[in-house]
Amino acid sequence: MRLRALLDTDALGLRLLGGQDELDRAVRGVMTTDLRDPSRYLSGGELVLTGLAWRRDASDSEPFVRLLVQAGVAALAAGEAELGDVPDDLVLACARHRLPLFAVHESVAFATITEHVVRQVSGERAGDLAAVVDRHRRMMTSGPAGGGPDVVLDLLGSDLDLRAWVLSPTGRLVAGPKTAGPGLPAEVCAKLAAEHLAAARTGRRGPHRVILAGATYSLFPVRSGGRAPQAAGDVRETVLSDWLLAVEADAGDWAEERLDLLQGVTQLISVERDRRDAARTVRRRLAQEVLELVQTGAAPAEIAARLRVAAPVLLPGLGAAPHWQVVVARVEWDGAEGGATEGGPIAQSLLEEILVDPHVTGPEPSDRIAVAHTGDEAVALVPLPAVAGEHDGPGSGVLADTLLASVREPLAAGLDGDGRITIGVSAAVHSAEGLRGALEEARHARRVAAARPGRVCAAGHQELASHVLLLPFVPDDVRRAFTARLLDPLRDYDRRHRAELIPTLEAFLDCDGSWTRCASRLHLHVNTLRYRVGRIEQLTGRDLSRLEDKLDFFLALRMS
């Protein structure tokens, strides 16, 4: 908008004191200040509003105006509420530097002028929107009263008519506008996160354009600490930990100024991300201390004492001693041996996201989860409050089969064919004495998950009961030697005589050694079946009437 348009709006209470010839200047934003030197916060084109608190005497006006002119501001508006009439020295200084000067009537709040100018500028899509960024910055850095990223997203809606949401890499809704109608459904969040991770893994620069259910979204990465990915190895790890800003709009036809604005917003949100990460430091340290005590075989009394310290932090307001579960995660990349970086930190970050309970209320949903990492492994200590009236276990717990249900799609996109995340979950334990066993149980469950196909896998303690799950952990050379000793004589015989000893053996074991059922299944006479079983025993030196020999054959067939 132009300066002269300000004079045409009576509600703004502006009176021109100088700069009649400069009223065609474009106003590109608003900045309110009483600093003696506000130039560091100016980017050019602003209408600067001031209450004159910086002025102690007449000599202060000249340097103040000179700094504004050097910063390229559009005009200065001075309030009359504090000093009455605008001082003559300020009027003369503005005239010397050809800086338009307005007086603001004492009945008009600066906020009224700010809101009017910002709405006009954004509505017309004219010029730089740095004033909005400045408002966001001041709100984000003003402490808890600033409101966090939700306020920034509300301002994007009110000032730029943009609906936007902040999502975690797993698709969890971190923040959304409170005044923009219904939020994003969970399935849309998951798909947006997946699309963002897939695009980021290809090396394409944001924003990424996605169309879902007829709506167009532009996805901007929110990088922790404002860092940018560097090496390829860094990219595939950092994309799994970065938040993203999803804007319901097509940024492909945006002007450079608006793109810069949204990039500035992502930087502001990254400040909030870093703040939340810092708040996790205490929980991470508690988990690290407990993990070290458990791994070094510390006395249960010492571990219990550490847990008593951790419980109030992880379960604020709950006095009951909780049960505990241990969850272990590992992120691995294909061909990452040698100089690869440890995967523990990225597994730690992901596990903190995956374990968030959407039903838990509080300032941060993950404030009841403590995750440590050691080497390439992350270990979570999850407290489970006991439910009143239940004495045999916790009221709820982490279940491996549902743990990854909502995050599988985005994680698979982020791992992009060359990475894996595997997770193991222990049973709940009642005391410090059980944590060592729970840790080993979770690690073993994770190895079970790692033996399965797929990029995103989890296994729980209840899946460790079957000996079949132990087979993937038999070393390859032992597996080959064991199966060759038992099965190679039968395979050779089948090949030479076109017999069917191997299928007969499988059917006999499946029928639990029942002659009649096995003969019926194979459509053989019982005597023929007895002949074949006898031949198997002769070739292998085993007795299929003995349980031990039956079990050996069963395992050999499974491992083959």
Side-chain angles (χ1 to χ4, degrees), residues 365-380:
S366 61
D367 63 358
R368 300 183 181 185
I369 300 165
V371 185
H373 74 82
T374 172
D376 57 359
E377 179 184 74
V379 180

Side-chain angles (χ1 to χ4, degrees), residues 1-17 47-49 75-80 101-110 113 116-117:
M1 63 179 302
R2 304 295 176 180
L3 282 175
R4 65 175 66 256
L6 296 173
L7 294 175
D8 296 335
T9 307
D10 296 336
L12 299 183
L14 296 179
R15 181 164 49 90
L16 184 64
L17 300 181
L47 170 65
V48 175
L49 306 175
L76 175 65
E80 296 177 324
L101 176 63
F102 298 91
V104 182
H105 193 270
E106 61 181 3
S107 63
V108 178
F110 283 174
I113 300 174
H116 175 82
V117 172

Side-chain angles (χ1 to χ4, degrees), residues 170 400-401 403-413 415 455-458:
T170 61
D401 56 350
L403 187 61
L404 298 176
S406 62
V407 300
R408 190 179 301 275
E409 182 179 3
L411 285 181
L415 295 165
R455 295 291 174 178
V456 183
C457 298

Side-chain angles (χ1 to χ4, degrees), residues 58-76:
S59 64
D60 291 332
S61 294
E62 173 68 21
F64 181 80
V65 172
R66 186 167 58 251
L67 289 170
L68 296 186
V69 172
Q70 290 172 352
V73 304
L76 175 65

Side-chain angles (χ1 to χ4, degrees), residues 525-542:
H525 193 277
V526 171
N527 288 339
T528 304
L529 176 60
R530 290 185 184 276
Y531 171 80
R532 289 186 182 181
V533 170
R535 179 62 68 183
I536 291 172
E537 293 174 335
Q538 180 185 13
L539 292 170
T540 61
R542 298 300 184 102

Side-chain angles (χ1 to χ4, degrees), residues 3 50 88 209 226 373 384 441 509:
L3 282 175
T50 179
D88 291 338
R209 181 173 176 269
H373 74 82
L384 303 172
E441 189 174 57
L509 294 175

Side-chain angles (χ1 to χ4, degrees), residues 29-40:
V30 185
M31 193 261 192
T32 300
T33 185
D34 279 312
L35 296 174
R36 295 172 63 83
D37 181 8
S39 57
R40 73 182 69 180

